[in-house]
Amino acid sequence: MDGTIVDTEPYWIAAERSLVEAHGGTWSHEQATQLVGQALTFSAGILQEAGVRLDTRQIIDTLTAEVIRNVQRSVPWRPGARELLDGLHQAGVRCALVTMSEGPLAREIVASLPKPYFEFLVTGDTVTHGKPHPEAYLKAVELLQDSDPGLTIGHCVALEDSGPGVAAAVASGVATVAIPHIAPLPADPRHTTWDSLAGRTVSELEAIAAASMTEFAATLAATPGRTS
């Protein structure tokens, strides 16, 4: 979500800097980029190392409240994000929001959309292990399967902007599109890279899903005791 469909990373970085400076420390851009896409509990630990004398829950609540205040003033959509979401919605493609932000911020973003683009949310406060662990994506696939038992990981595509997010999606087995934003992402044959969502279409995502399904079926067929 943050950095993929909305450009809230500057809000997070400003909130982090304000919090660190309030405790007498300094916060650089390099330190801030370490936290992009990470679980908030991980981020809280880094901020404590930078001198913030609050517990993990207090840090998360302080940062989230500040970002929500900024979002309520202005939701900074990433180029092409709303257009692609609308195209997916019109095509009847089911979408889930998988984010390490917690529920209150995710719901604020979703509430600003003109249509119910997301069937459900998987947020950082609903999983045990944050990105880069694959739990959040595996949970999203399981929730999609609840109403469609025939759906597999091979049917799904993840859109991610950060290293931890891409790592989580790839580790889950979901076909992954990386859209680098704040932090650069190295080229990797395990994922597709787009410069932006601007101009991207449903058919392009369908092609990625089709290729993933072919690979998924081949993997099943090659697994002893399993057939596609």
Side-chain angles (χ1 to χ4, degrees), residues 193-219:
T193 300
W194 289 352
D195 291 336
S196 168
L197 292 179
R200 295 296 180 173
T201 64
V202 175
S203 61
E204 289 177 283
L205 290 175
E206 288 174 337
I208 291 170
S212 176
M213 272 304 299
T214 299
E215 182 178 347
F216 183 76
T219 300

Side-chain angles (χ1 to χ4, degrees), residues 17-228:
R17 179 178 295 110
S18 177
L19 184 58
V20 171
E21 290 177 350
H23 286 259
T26 59
W27 191 242
S28 69
H29 182 74
E30 289 70 26
Q31 288 172 299
T33 57
Q34 291 183 66
L35 308 190
V36 174
Q38 295 281 4
L40 286 172
T41 49
F42 174 89
S43 299
I46 299 297
L47 289 163
Q48 287 166 338
E49 291 175 7
V52 176
R53 297 178 299 278
L54 297 174
D55 65 31
T56 297
R57 186 69 255 167
Q58 289 173 312
I59 290 172
I60 292 172
D61 289 346
T62 300
L63 295 178
T64 299
E66 181 61 23
V67 175
I68 287 175
R69 278 193 288 273
N70 280 295
V71 164
Q72 288 172 337
R73 288 193 288 268
S74 175
V75 180
W77 295 101
R78 294 284 291 141
R82 284 176 292 182
E83 293 82 356
L84 183 57
L85 283 171
D86 197 60
L88 290 164
H89 184 72
Q90 290 185 38
V93 177
R94 301 169 68 196
C95 293
L97 183 63
V98 180
T99 177
M100 288 299 92
S101 290
E102 295 193 342
L105 174 57
R107 288 190 290 271
E108 193 75 37
I109 298 294
V110 169
S112 71
L113 289 164
K115 298 175 186 177
Y117 293 136
F118 294 106
E119 189 171 319
F120 58 84
L121 316 180
V122 177
T123 56
D125 50 341
T126 65
V127 295
T128 302
H129 305 289
K131 299 172 185 178
H133 194 282
E135 181 186 349
Y137 277 108
L138 293 173
K139 180 174 182 176
V141 173
E142 289 175 1
L143 290 170
L144 289 167
Q145 289 171 329
D146 283 346
S147 57
D148 183 3
L151 180 140
T152 69
I153 282 176
H155 290 100
C156 303
V157 179
L159 303 177
E160 276 285 356
D161 72 291
S162 70
V166 169
V170 169
S172 75
V174 172
T176 305
V177 178
I179 311 104
H181 180 37
I182 295 292
L185 297 172
D188 190 322
R190 296 175 300 170
H191 64 70
T192 301
T193 300
W194 289 352
D195 291 336
S196 168
L197 292 179
R200 295 296 180 173
T201 64
V202 175
S203 61
E204 289 177 283
L205 290 175
E206 288 174 337
I208 291 170
S212 176
M213 272 304 299
T214 299
E215 182 178 347
F216 183 76
T219 300
L220 283 181
T223 303
R226 298 287 297 275
T227 63
S228 57

